Amino acid sequence: MRRLVSSVSLILAISMASLTPALAQFGGGPVTVFDPSMFARQLRQLQTETQTLTTAAQQLENMVINTVPYTGGVWQPNTNLLNNLGSVIATEQGLSYALTNLSTAFSQLFPGYSAPPGVPAQTAQAAGQGMNATLATLSGSLNSLQGQAQNFAAENAELQQLATANSAATGRLQAIQVGNQIALLQTQQMQMLRQLMMNLTTAFGVTNANQVSRQAQSTAALQQLLGVPWSIPTDGPAPSAGLIPSR
């Protein structure tokens, strides 16, 4: 900026020095003639050059401002925090996705349906199929969550690389490319969230379906025990068990 101001001052000095009166020659020697329009033209030219230099100085100042790096802080990964949050449930003696023996612990806590002695195999299979399938779905959901949790370290390593590239960007193209990489990573995270929601929705649907099925089986067994005939409704709202006594 100091050099720019010095340049403007030098141009002004040269322009003022060049403001010499016009000379007209009559006969044998030159005669000094005062021409006001010449000074007006030179003044306008000087004003135009001054405005051009002022505009250039403002553009240079804007470029300097746009290249000032951000110094508010350095991005830090939160891998340790995520791992600690995943271990909170296990610390309280709960079943957490952070457990290394998740599948074994799940099967020990929820062994599923086991037919008592004397129950025919076909009856035992019909009775326990829904419950065991529900437990298998819930166990698979926890294993899927564990897979996402185990990928936190790799995701944070990628974020660390993007943070370093962002702080070291030396031009607009590099900064734009880093921003595009961050946008792609955000899209990937949204896909992971969608998969998580589909996973939980599946577990919720299977659990409720098993509950409704058990209610229907209990109602059918009770009606068979009491000798009350039953039929499937053909119209109107269906009860929760799906069965109604016939009249």
Side-chain angles (χ1 to χ4, degrees), residues 2 42 46 102 106 129 151 204 211 221 227 243:
R2 296 194 191 96
Q42 291 181 344
L46 181 61
L102 178 60
F106 188 92
Q129 186 175 6
N151 196 44
F204 179 77
Q211 183 178 1
L243 304 171

Side-chain angles (χ1 to χ4, degrees), residues 215-233 239 241-246:
Q215 291 176 353
Q217 292 174 6
S218 299
T219 301
L222 179 62
Q223 290 175 339
Q224 184 178 8
L225 178 63
L226 298 178
V228 180
W230 56 273
S231 62
I232 300 177
L243 304 171
I244 59 173
S246 61

Side-chain angles (χ1 to χ4, degrees), residues 110-184:
F110 309 104
Y113 177 82
S114 179
V119 178
Q122 184 176 2
T123 303
Q125 181 180 5
Q129 186 175 6
M131 287 182 287
N132 291 337
T134 302
L135 292 176
T137 303
L138 296 176
S139 177
S141 299
L142 286 176
N143 289 327
S144 178
L145 294 177
Q146 187 179 65
Q148 286 213 37
Q150 291 174 347
N151 196 44
F152 283 151
E155 292 176 0
N156 281 328
E158 186 175 2
L159 288 173
Q160 182 68 63
Q161 293 179 355
L162 290 175
T164 302
N166 178 65
S167 60
T170 57
R172 290 186 178 181
L173 180 58
Q174 291 184 2
I176 292 174
Q177 289 177 337
V178 172
N180 291 337
Q181 290 292 329
I182 295 175
L184 291 173

Side-chain angles (χ1 to χ4, degrees), residues 26-70:
F26 298 94
V31 178
T32 302
V33 179
F34 179 73
D35 186 6
S37 62
M38 180 189 64
F39 291 98
R41 290 192 302 270
Q42 291 181 344
L43 179 60
R44 288 193 299 269
Q45 181 180 359
L46 181 61
Q47 290 175 343
T48 302
E49 294 177 354
T50 303
Q51 182 62 39
T52 301
L53 291 176
T54 302
T55 303
Q58 184 63 45
Q59 293 176 350
L60 180 60
E61 183 178 357
N62 292 336
M63 292 176 62
V64 172
I65 294 175
N66 291 332
T67 55
V68 174
Y70 173 72

